[in-house]
Amino acid sequence: MGDNAEQTPLLAKAVVVTMSKFRLPVPEDEEPEDWDLEDEDPPGRSSWRDLRFAPALGRRVAARLSPLVAPETTHLLDLDSESLNARMAEVLAAIKGGDRMVVHMLSHGFLDRRRETDLMIAATDTPDPGHDDAPEMSFAVRTFLSRADREDPRSGHLLLLVDACHGGGALDWTNNIKYTRRKAFVIAACPGDEQAWGGRFSEAVCEVLSGVVRGHKDINPSQRFVRLTWFKDELHRTVMELCKKAGAPEQEVISSALEGPSTEFLLNPWFREDPAERYELKSYWDLKHFMAEVHPALDVDHYLSKASGRHNVDPANGVSLFSGRTDQLVKVADWLSDGAEHGTLCVVTGSPGVGKSALLGAVVCCTQTQLARVMRGTLVQQIPPRARPEQRPLVAAVHARQMTLADTMDSIGAQLDLEQPIEGWSSQQLVNAVASLPDEPLIVVDGLDEATDSVQITVELLLPLAEQVFPDGPRRRACQLLVGVRPHWDQLPQLAATVFGGSQLLVDLDAADRRQLQQDLEMYVERLLYETDPYSSERELRIRIPRTVAERVVGSSHGGEFLKAQMAVRSLAQAAPLTEDAVDAAVAEMPMTFASLLEGQLTDERTHPWARRVMTALAFGKGSGMPAHLLPQVAAALPPACDAPGREDVDAVLTGMSFYLRQDVDPSYGTTLYRLFHQELVDHLRASARELPDPHALRDTGDAS
């Protein structure tokens, strides 16, 4: 990691500006009692309607912001134009001094009739918008933004939240600012030509920020700060819901471009520091944080769960279930220690579920310095010393599923602490940068055949890296490449030609001895049972079941043996308790496809009523998966349509069915994405999605099938 990762983040300061009472100043030569209140426009009457809800709402916004920014959010209430501009000048000075500022403004707004793209925020003494003095007696947002978004490298950053009519008029200044220069970001309650109603934008800010503080399912724990792109979209969804409940006109939340070199304003309170530093990994999510700090491309579900032999990882448990593949690990470890005989490239291949990712995950956990430190008491110790790869100073590990060439290059470059060119990496630039490193790195790419740009990644990046040699240089090659791929050689003919040309190492897990595979499966199932209630205390069953399951799996399938063994044990756990006599029959009747094992759980009466619809919704997800906030609407829209589930129902399903799920992090929003772990599950659930039961009716009858 670079030095920046070790620095304490600069916390933003927050100011909430709220206007509720609007009165014009009393002329010096008049007294209020002299006014004719029947007059159409008495001197002290403002054309602005008082916002009676604003004081309490402003205090709530300030209270909700406080846990996510620097302490003591400032709330400014009912300022006249002179005071408002003076206080905002103080905010501007703080930004120029390097501070990060979050400013929330709740008031009336209008567009300067001289320049209709200029948003003006009304103070308590601002006259009618048609009055010549109105712009001078209000707060000019464009002027403020233009001064806040200077190119001075010492200046800080601004997040402006505008709850006022014509709020989108504040975006004009930001439209043409280049990515590298962006320092001011704006989220507004409505477009510049529309109205904002009833403080609903501020209500939404309170609701969304409260969810962040409580722990929002969408926000991934690996993210130190809340992504502004997610924040804006969540505000829009919440405002639309509030408008619907109130029977009010819809109100579109809009924003400036929210990507920039630094958009760190709102802390994620559920983020924790790198747990490897204190070696107190109490939960799966601690590991999730740790993995994300190494680099988000290191998918904890992929590398650690595959390496440990579990569908998730619980460091507090202290036991790894990794079993077998010793001969293959010895080959890879020997290649890693020298590599001269078999060249730069090692390809691990085999059918889905045969253990490619487990083997690569074990290598990553042993060689990557931080991971090896975390896992040394569990996984690393359980690998025989002869088969245990040594730690390496430089390791980059990429799970290539759904990744483009650019994604892959960015991930490798970031993990190797290479300085990315301003225009982004080209393949040759990255190859040259890797070759120039003082130490020879290990680059691991798993799931190459599942990448969006699998051919491009192979031809433009991996093969050039493998072919870069330095016969007279400080080292012989640019790097060592360890690649996991299914044997779809017709899709990757260039890789096949290189591998089968004889100069590189090929480890084919499908070619493993079936007798040895059965023994490895027995050991794996026995370890699983030891931790599975109620079998943990049933020694005789723990001896009988592994042999029976291993024979059934090896005899009925070719490919995916370890994964099917894991699912078989899960199925037996749900059917428990079983007697010794019933074990053989239960295993013999056990389905040996992923879809049928899932179906067995979905039809179990103990499974949550919404499980089938939520899992089916995930089957229609694209790319890296679907965020939790979309699942209620998608699940309810499946035929026949029904009322949407509550978020608590969705959360219960995601927890209860986690065995069948994998998680990823959305690179733009920082949210957690959920997907099914195998294409067979996707195909099965899509095919059965024509007529789904109504979970509300199931609850009424008590039938959850």
Side-chain angles (χ1 to χ4, degrees):
M1 296 182 63
D3 294 337
N4 290 341
E6 306 298 328
Q7 297 176 358
T8 301
L10 176 65
L11 298 183
K13 300 175 182 177
V15 175
V16 177
V17 179
T18 307
M19 302 296 164
S20 67
K21 298 179 180 178
F22 300 89
R23 297 288 184 273
L24 297 179
V26 178
E28 293 182 1
D29 57 347
E30 295 186 33
E31 295 295 333
E33 54 267 25
D34 298 331
W35 299 344
D36 181 1
L37 296 182
E38 299 300 324
D39 187 7
E40 183 175 331
D41 188 18
R45 178 183 292 170
S46 171
S47 62
W48 304 110
R49 179 171 50 85
D50 285 351
L51 304 176
R52 297 180 181 178
F53 59 83
L57 186 52
R59 288 192 294 270
R60 285 175 54 209
V61 171
R64 300 300 184 271
L65 275 170
S66 290
L68 309 179
V69 295
E72 299 184 14
T73 297
T74 301
H75 183 208
L76 305 176
L77 176 63
D78 288 339
L79 302 179
D80 61 27
S81 56
E82 183 177 351
S83 301
L84 174 59
N85 281 284
R87 297 305 297 267
M88 294 305 292
E90 295 173 4
V91 171
L92 183 61
I95 295 171
K96 289 183 176 180
D99 284 347
R100 293 178 188 275
M101 300 295 300
V102 178
V103 178
H104 183 283
M105 307 195 82
L106 170 58
S107 182
H108 291 293
F110 65 99
L111 299 177
D112 186 344
R113 61 180 180 174
R114 298 168 298 185
R115 293 186 302 273
E116 291 190 355
T117 57
D118 290 4
L119 174 67
M120 317 301 292
I121 299 296
T124 57
D125 60 347
T126 300
D128 183 279
H131 197 285
D132 289 342
D133 292 337
E136 284 68 33
M137 297 185 68
S138 57
F139 172 67
V141 175
R142 179 188 175 91
T143 302
F144 178 74
L145 288 174
S146 65
R147 293 173 178 172
D149 211 349
R150 297 292 187 185
E151 286 194 62
D152 187 346
R154 296 168 298 178
S155 66
H157 297 76
L158 167 70
L159 172 61
L160 178 62
L161 307 174
V162 182
D163 191 358
C165 292
H166 312 290
L171 308 185
D172 178 66
W173 168 257
T174 68
N175 285 342
N176 299 314
I177 297 177
K178 294 181 180 179
Y179 174 92
T180 54
R181 285 188 50 212
R182 290 177 195 153
K183 293 191 173 184
F185 306 89
V186 183
I187 304 177
C190 61
D193 58 351
E194 295 185 13
Q195 306 289 312
W197 304 94
R200 293 190 183 93
F201 177 81
S202 297
E203 290 278 5
V205 169
C206 293
E207 187 170 325
V208 173
L209 294 182
S210 294
V212 171
V213 172
R214 291 194 303 268
H216 202 293
K217 195 78 173 178
D218 279 349
I219 301 177
N220 197 279
S222 67
Q223 305 298 301
R224 187 184 292 272
F225 289 87
V226 175
R227 297 285 183 96
L228 296 186
T229 46
W230 173 86
F231 184 51
K232 179 260 180 179
D233 284 356
E234 194 68 12
L235 287 176
H236 176 71
R237 280 191 292 271
T238 307
V239 167
M240 295 295 277
E241 289 175 2
L242 292 172
C243 291
K244 184 177 180 180
K245 289 178 182 177
E250 290 186 349
Q251 187 174 314
E252 180 187 4
V253 174
I254 65 171
S255 70
S256 64
L258 297 177
E259 295 83 14
S262 183
T263 58
E264 299 173 340
F265 293 97
L266 304 173
L267 276 171
N268 175 11
W270 294 91
F271 173 85
R272 295 180 181 85
E273 293 296 335
D274 182 355
E277 295 299 321
R278 48 192 169 85
Y279 199 51
E280 292 180 356
L281 302 179
K282 297 293 196 307
S283 73
Y284 168 75
W285 284 113
D286 287 332
L287 268 176
K288 188 75 170 178
H289 305 155
F290 164 70
M291 292 294 291
E293 287 202 17
V294 176
H295 193 273
L298 275 174
D299 182 347
V300 65
D301 290 308
H302 186 74
Y303 287 105
L304 278 176
S305 67
K306 298 297 184 184
S308 65
R310 304 171 183 273
H311 76 281
N312 60 24
V313 184
D314 181 5
N317 184 290
V319 178
S320 169
L321 304 178
F322 183 84
S323 302
R325 300 303 187 193
T326 302
D327 292 344
Q328 291 81 9
L329 267 176
V330 168
K331 288 183 180 180
V332 174
D334 288 346
W335 170 78
L336 286 169
S337 65
D338 181 64
E341 181 181 351
H342 292 292
T344 300
L345 176 65
C346 173
V347 174
V348 178
T349 190
S351 305
V354 78
K356 299 183 300 298
S357 295
L359 191 146
L360 266 62
V363 172
V364 171
C365 288
C366 289
T367 56
Q368 210 279 343
T369 304
Q370 290 172 290
L371 277 177
R373 191 163 70 247
V374 171
M375 303 297 285
R376 62 173 175 252
T378 55
L379 170 70
V380 175
Q381 289 298 323
Q382 289 184 224
I383 297 175
R386 174 75 177 82
R388 191 184 303 161
E390 299 295 327
Q391 291 185 34
R392 302 282 288 259
L394 293 174
V395 177
V398 179
H399 181 202
R401 183 181 186 274
Q402 300 289 339
M403 293 185 75
T404 63
L405 174 62
D407 296 333
T408 305
M409 293 192 296
D410 288 348
S411 178
I412 292 172
Q415 292 181 65
L416 297 179
D417 283 331
L418 298 172
E419 184 175 353
Q420 183 174 2
I422 295 176
E423 67 278 7
W425 290 109
S426 70
S427 302
Q428 192 58 52
Q429 283 177 318
L430 184 59
V431 170
N432 294 341
V434 170
S436 67
L437 289 167
D439 296 304
E440 180 182 270
L442 168 64
I443 298 176
V444 181
V445 179
D446 193 17
L448 174 61
D449 55 293
E450 299 178 79
T452 302
D453 296 340
S454 58
V455 175
Q456 267 190 293
I457 293 170
T458 301
V459 175
E460 298 183 25
L461 179 63
L462 300 185
L463 294 183
L465 280 170
E467 294 164 359
Q468 184 86 303
V469 294
F470 306 93
D472 302 319
R475 63 176 192 262
R476 291 166 298 176
R477 59 205 167 202
C479 64
Q480 283 188 283
L481 275 173
L482 179 60
V483 176
V485 61
R486 288 178 287 189
H488 297 166
W489 304 117
D490 57 328
Q491 298 177 15
L492 297 169
Q494 301 87 350
L495 181 64
T498 302
V499 172
F500 293 107
S503 61
Q504 311 296 342
L505 177 62
L506 176 66
V507 179
D508 187 352
L509 300 186
D510 286 338
D513 180 77
R514 302 293 284 178
R515 185 178 303 172
Q516 182 62 52
L517 175 61
Q518 184 169 323
Q519 293 176 4
D520 293 342
L521 283 171
E522 285 189 38
M523 182 183 301
Y524 177 50
V525 172
E526 186 173 354
R527 289 178 175 175
L528 281 172
L529 288 172
Y530 190 77
E531 298 188 344
T532 304
D533 290 331
Y535 299 108
S536 58
S537 59
E538 296 288 342
R539 185 175 184 277
E540 294 301 322
L541 286 174
R542 290 204 317 273
I543 295 173
R544 186 182 186 91
I545 290 175
R547 182 176 65 252
T548 308
V549 169
E551 290 175 352
R552 172 92 164 95
V553 171
V554 172
S556 63
S557 61
H558 193 89
E561 288 87 357
F562 282 90
L563 186 54
K564 288 175 181 175
Q566 189 182 70
M567 297 181 76
V569 171
R570 181 178 178 84
S571 180
L572 288 173
Q574 292 173 333
L578 290 174
T579 63
E580 286 189 52
D581 295 337
V583 167
D584 290 347
V587 173
E589 295 172 0
M590 188 178 297
M592 281 292 113
T593 66
F594 301 137
S596 55
L597 287 166
L598 169 64
E599 193 62 34
Q601 183 164 351
L602 289 177
T603 55
D604 191 301
E605 63 181 11
R606 293 167 293 184
T607 300
H608 195 283
W610 276 98
R612 184 176 296 276
R613 278 184 175 261
V614 170
M615 297 293 280
T616 303
L618 288 172
F620 287 94
K622 300 293 184 182
S624 297
M626 188 180 296
H629 73 259
L630 290 181
L631 287 171
Q633 301 96 296
V634 178
L638 293 168
C642 63
D643 292 336
R647 284 297 295 268
E648 65 279 359
D649 292 315
V650 171
D651 291 349
V653 172
L654 293 176
T655 300
M657 305 297 289
S658 61
F659 178 85
Y660 300 95
L661 304 177
R662 296 295 179 262
Q663 297 180 21
D664 219 328
V665 182
D666 188 307
S668 299
Y669 291 82
T671 54
T672 302
L673 302 175
Y674 299 87
R675 68 178 187 273
L676 299 168
F677 77 80
H678 200 278
Q679 186 63 36
E680 183 180 319
L681 303 178
V682 173
D683 295 341
H684 170 71
L685 289 171
R686 286 186 177 183
S688 58
R690 295 182 180 86
E691 194 71 20
L692 298 176
D694 184 344
H696 300 289
L698 295 180
R699 267 198 175 130
D700 293 340
T701 62
D703 180 4
S705 62

